[in-house]
């Protein structure tokens, strides 16, 4: 019997600077050494050592583009594992500190490849209230409805190996939002439709006025307080 090397993963995430880098990469984008160093509050040289350890643990991969080397999470399975760890992380003083640090970012953002923050939580609650999603045995099951196409979602005819709609515990709200392929489709559609836009100067997303109107029409959400563009 082969024993999983949890000790290697444990060492990789045991340092606060490395966990900060992983949280930065949870946005689903790739970052340079200098960008991750700034996010973690360390020097680029120290960041390089941290990133090598994360690569050796299989959590991060590096890609060279021109003169720059970009780092990203090794895949969605890594993001999912980090999300699950976040679900059992301390939720009191750490939670409040995270909310203070997140600031405006806590409102509308992406969590690897899907929407997160209060907007995503509200959308998920609306989907559940409207019967478009059902919670079953700790998972989400999508129910056919005409509104799905308006959200950019085409429901699969047959269930796959991986859940189509997966519950993800939001790290600032401590409530569930939708992840998995469904979450990715909703975020892609929101970006393509101009409902949300990438923030130019910091992590996160901005909700546009057309996006707020669309979500109000489709899901009955009132998003006026979240509109930033």
């Amino acid at each position: 019997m082969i024993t999983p090397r949890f000790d290697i993963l444990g060492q990789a995430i045991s340092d606060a600077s490395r966990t900060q880098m992983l949280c930065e990469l949870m946005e689903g984008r790739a970052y340079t050494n200098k960008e991750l160093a700034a996010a973690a509050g360390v020097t680029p040289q120290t960041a390089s050592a941290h990133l090598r350890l994360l690569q050796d643990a299989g959590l991060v991969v590096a890609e060279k583009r021109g003169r720059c080397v970009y780092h990203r999470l090794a895949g969605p399975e890594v993001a999912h594992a980090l999300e699950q760890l976040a679900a059992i992380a301390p939720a009191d003083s750490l939670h409040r500190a995270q909310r203070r640090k997140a600031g405006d970012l806590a409102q509308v953002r992406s969590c690897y490849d899907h929407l997160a923050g209060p907007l995503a939580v509200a959308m998920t609650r609306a989907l559940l209230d409207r019967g478009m999603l059902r919670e079953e045995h700790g998972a989400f099951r999508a129910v056919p409805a005409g509104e799905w196409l308006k959200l950019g979602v085409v429901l699969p005819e047959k269930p796959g190996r991986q859940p189509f709609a997966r519950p993800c515990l939001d790290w600032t709200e401590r409530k569930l939002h939708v992840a998995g392929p469904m979450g990715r489709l909703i975020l892609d559609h929101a970006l393509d439709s101009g409902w949300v836009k990438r923030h130019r100067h910091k992590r996160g997303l901005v909700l546009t006025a057309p996006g707020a109107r669309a979500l109000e029409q489709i899901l009955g959400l009132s998003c006026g307080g979240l509109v930033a563009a």
Side-chain angles (χ1 to χ4, degrees):
M1 178 179 177
I2 299 176
T3 303
R5 293 299 305 273
F6 294 129
D7 56 314
I8 295 176
L9 295 176
Q11 181 184 9
I13 63 175
S14 64
D15 181 90
S17 296
R18 290 195 290 273
T19 56
Q20 181 59 47
M21 291 179 182
L22 290 172
C23 288
E24 195 78 3
L25 293 172
M26 281 293 289
E27 295 302 311
R29 289 181 281 178
Y31 290 92
T32 64
N33 177 294
K34 289 184 178 181
E35 289 171 327
L36 291 173
V42 297
T43 66
Q45 292 79 8
T46 301
S48 295
H50 285 315
L51 287 165
R52 281 195 296 271
L53 197 153
L54 292 173
Q55 290 174 39
D56 291 342
L59 300 176
V60 170
V61 295
E63 300 174 341
K64 189 171 184 180
R65 302 177 192 171
R67 295 183 178 181
C68 295
V69 176
Y70 289 86
H71 305 271
R72 61 175 176 81
L73 292 185
E77 68 281 357
V78 174
H80 179 53
L82 293 174
E83 289 168 1
Q84 296 306 300
L85 285 174
I88 60 174
D92 47 8
S93 59
L94 175 60
H95 178 207
R96 292 191 294 271
Q98 287 172 329
R99 286 301 302 268
R100 287 195 301 270
K101 185 175 181 180
D104 292 338
L105 174 59
Q107 300 302 306
V108 186
R109 65 180 189 278
S110 60
C111 177
Y112 190 63
D113 59 357
H114 56 274
L115 283 171
L119 176 62
V121 169
M123 289 177 65
T124 302
R125 186 70 260 166
L127 292 171
L128 289 166
D129 291 343
R130 288 169 174 260
M132 296 169 62
L133 277 184
R134 292 180 182 172
E135 284 191 81
E136 294 182 351
H137 309 294
F140 283 154
R141 181 172 70 85
V143 178
E147 289 88 348
W148 284 123
L149 284 178
K150 298 177 182 179
L151 294 171
V153 175
V154 177
L155 300 182
E157 295 182 1
K158 298 181 180 179
R161 293 183 179 180
Q162 301 296 324
F164 182 66
R166 178 172 54 78
C168 175
L169 186 66
D170 198 279
W171 68 276
T172 57
E173 301 308 296
R174 295 289 168 170
K175 296 179 181 179
L176 297 177
H177 61 240
V178 177
M182 176 185 285
R184 182 172 62 251
L185 288 173
I186 292 174
L187 175 57
D188 288 346
H189 183 72
L191 287 167
D192 292 342
S193 301
W195 295 356
V196 296
K197 295 180 179 180
R198 295 286 186 189
H199 203 292
R200 293 182 180 180
H201 303 297
K202 63 179 181 179
R203 297 166 53 198
L205 303 168
V206 291
L207 176 67
T208 65
R213 287 194 296 269
L215 293 177
E216 182 176 2
Q217 293 170 0
I218 299 169
L219 297 177
L221 294 182
S222 178
C223 306
L226 298 179
V227 177

